[in-house]
Amino acid sequence: LCNERLRYLLLLLLWLHDTDSFYVPGVAPINFHWNDPVEIKAVKLTSSRTQLPYEYYSLPFCQPTEITYKAENLGEVLRGDRIVNTPFQVFMNVEKKCEVLCNFPNKPVTLTVDQSKLMAERIREDYYVHLIADNLPVATRLEFYSNREEEEKKKEKDVQFEHGYRLGFLDGNKFYLHNHLSFILYYHREDVEENQEPTYRVVRFEVIPQSIKLEDLKADEKGMCTLPEATGSAPQEIDPTKENQLLFTYSVHWEESDIKWASRWDTYLTMSDVQIHWFSIINSVVVVFFLSGILSMIIIRTLRKDIANYNKEDDIEDTMEESGWKLVHGDVFRPPQYPMILSSLLGSGIQLFCMILIVIFVAMLGMLSPSSRGALMTTACFLFMFMGVFGGFFAGRLYRTLKGHRWKKGAFCTATLYPGVVFGICFVLNCFIWGKHSSGAVPFPTMVALLCMWFGISLPLVYLGYYFGFRKQPYDNPVRTNQIPRQIPEQRWYMNKFVGILMAGILPFGAMFIELFFIFSAIWENQFYYLFGFLFLVFIILVVSCSQISIVMVYFQLCAEDYRWWWRTFLVSGGSAFYVLIYAVFYFVNKLDIVEFIPSLLYFGYTALMVLSFWLLTGTIGFYAAYMFVRKIYAAVKID
């Protein structure tokens, strides 16, 4: 493995030495001359109904003489991508009317009963096939009329693109396979000097899938075939109860395009059926800022009045009779129950916060675009491991502030609690995916590699951060803690923990629920997500709203003379995670067509991980905002 890596490194250095300019890997354009081969590769088969990706050759498609899989990064493996070569022979700017794909031109492919049954099952489950040419995914053009005036309808159609192409279709109880693919590749002619041969770049890759019966495809000895007239052709039926004979064929058409190479992904990034709700996003931003402004004004005015009253020397007796947050000054910094677990969860929250902030920011700059397959997930995994040093530092310092002594046990808890839950759930789900022989199952060597990363990178870094955090001076609390705890008065119904979670979760969830729709569509309906600029804006608003709602909730709690705010603030600040869970259930019922047990289990298993991570993230943001606020207000009043 080491020798292989060294070889790759040397090749990379030689390549960099030979090139005049530096390109980010996977982004450098490829220039083709006329008749140069354009390799068509297969990625996987996907379905939003089963959420289980499969390898291309899990179905009896035509195979090349030698099957070679592309070396994949961590993100591609976790996504279920298994990029492999195909027998399609496509050459730059060379048309093909109709050609038989398999090795025997005039001999049809025979699908056994088992293969026919599997093919029919995949068609019933609404599977899509994903191919790529020059790293561009294949797309199916969908044309339809929008709700316009009748005169405009005749002039113009709306065009959208589906990612991949449908394997086949159902008509009644009969299954039909798309056995003929009409590839339409668009190229952009590059400007060259007069004497030089013209060069071309691939800028779009479309396909028109067709189902054509064996008898209608007239193939000759050379592998050429004749497509029937559109009106007179019958589709290729797949009968799952018997053997089926068919031909796999394809045609290639080239068209010149004005689209520049730098803009070639624009078509794919507007594939979503739902247009971007610009006004809705701006509306939610305005509402959140407006509510945040009102909350800030109320809390600042009330606090100023409180502090002014408490600091009046001539009205000490009146002040002592009042109820309020000053009365619990001797208990407000009393360490909570289970300080080690609290500091560990907050450490993981800091890890997540740093990782998400960097990933969104880098993606916003365009460095993690969909053209770099798996880059986003790979970056997120490695960043989470390396951010362990910050998580450990903050957890260690807080643990010491809470009078903790067993720093080694605390560091181990921080490094293993949240990642252990994530790994455990993923391992259980992976066993089910393995049972289905899906390419979405993480291979055993990758799982071992992830464990090595966890215990070899993340664990030592958390220990390192925890050691320095624990050695550092604890947070300076402005008031002393009494030896005897103060009795907490009976609380009103609206001060109940669950009511607080419901109230506190509305504002942060309102800031992000529109963006949540696009994120869920990208994850569960196999669409591209690229709105990282908006996502960064929404993330900032989420941080602001979580902080402010947390400050308001802790202020109300202290005014009610309840000083047990440590755990409560963490739980209540993560209240928006509850709404994310409700939204996930709503999305499952209304948007997805999942009926089987294992896909449903996968959906709710991964959703549980998302909700847990979001709860840790928002809880950590709210906790630190509330902690800073509490220290600030008790430092502002004179305590006798």
Side-chain angles (χ1 to χ4, degrees), residues 28 52 77 83 92 117 129 178 257 270 321 401 554 576 584 600:
L52 292 165
V77 173
I83 299 173
M92 173 54 73
K117 197 180 291 181
V129 183
H178 286 139
S257 172
T270 53
E321 290 172 8
T401 306
V554 80
S576 48
S600 304

Side-chain angles (χ1 to χ4, degrees), residues 223-268:
M224 300 299 166
C225 51
T226 309
L227 291 174
E229 294 292 328
T231 51
S233 64
Q236 175 64 55
E237 186 185 347
I238 301 292
D239 190 341
T241 60
K242 63 179 185 183
E243 288 187 349
N244 291 272
Q245 288 194 326
L246 68 146
L247 280 174
F248 286 105
T249 57
Y250 69 105
S251 59
V252 181
H253 174 61
W254 289 91
E255 283 189 26
E256 190 167 0
S257 172
D258 294 329
I259 298 168
K260 293 281 180 72
W261 186 87
S263 307
R264 67 180 192 157
W265 273 84
D266 292 358
T267 304
Y268 300 91

Side-chain angles (χ1 to χ4, degrees), residues 86-103:
T86 61
F88 295 106
Q89 292 186 326
V90 177
F91 300 94
M92 173 54 73
N93 219 355
V94 175
E95 301 271 326
K96 284 191 178 183
K97 293 289 183 187
C98 181
E99 194 166 298
V100 178
L101 188 59
C102 288
N103 295 334

Side-chain angles (χ1 to χ4, degrees), residues 74 91 94 274 440 452 638:
L74 179 63
F91 300 94
V94 175
V274 182
C452 291
K638 289 184 278 187

Side-chain angles (χ1 to χ4, degrees), residues 103-114:
N103 295 334
F104 304 99
N106 51 4
K107 185 180 177 185
V109 176
T110 303
L111 301 185
T112 63
V113 177
D114 287 342

Side-chain angles (χ1 to χ4, degrees), residues 321-440:
E321 290 172 8
E322 289 181 7
S323 61
W325 52 268
K326 187 184 176 185
L327 299 183
V328 293
H329 67 83
D331 297 276
V332 74
F333 293 109
R334 187 179 301 284
Q337 284 185 308
Y338 315 114
M340 188 186 290
I341 297 174
L342 178 64
S343 59
S344 299
L345 291 172
L346 289 165
S348 296
I350 291 287
Q351 239 178 307
L352 276 170
F353 177 80
C354 295
M355 180 265 284
I356 290 169
L357 183 67
I358 295 170
V359 164
I360 295 174
F361 184 73
V362 172
M364 183 181 70
L365 300 177
M367 295 182 194
L368 299 175
S369 70
S371 60
S372 306
R373 276 182 184 76
L376 186 75
M377 198 170 284
T378 307
T379 308
C381 287
F382 277 98
L383 268 175
F384 183 79
M385 300 291 175
F386 287 111
M387 290 302 114
V389 69
F390 295 106
F393 179 83
F394 279 92
R397 194 172 181 196
L398 183 68
Y399 184 56
R400 187 174 178 190
T401 306
L402 299 178
K403 306 290 190 292
H405 302 292
R406 296 174 294 175
W407 76 269
K408 289 178 184 175
K409 190 177 178 184
F412 183 77
C413 189
T414 305
T416 55
L417 186 61
Y418 168 70
V421 171
V422 172
F423 188 83
I425 292 174
C426 287
F427 181 77
V428 171
L429 294 177
N430 206 47
C431 290
F432 284 99
I433 305 172
W434 261 332
K436 285 287 197 176
H437 307 290
S438 166
S439 65

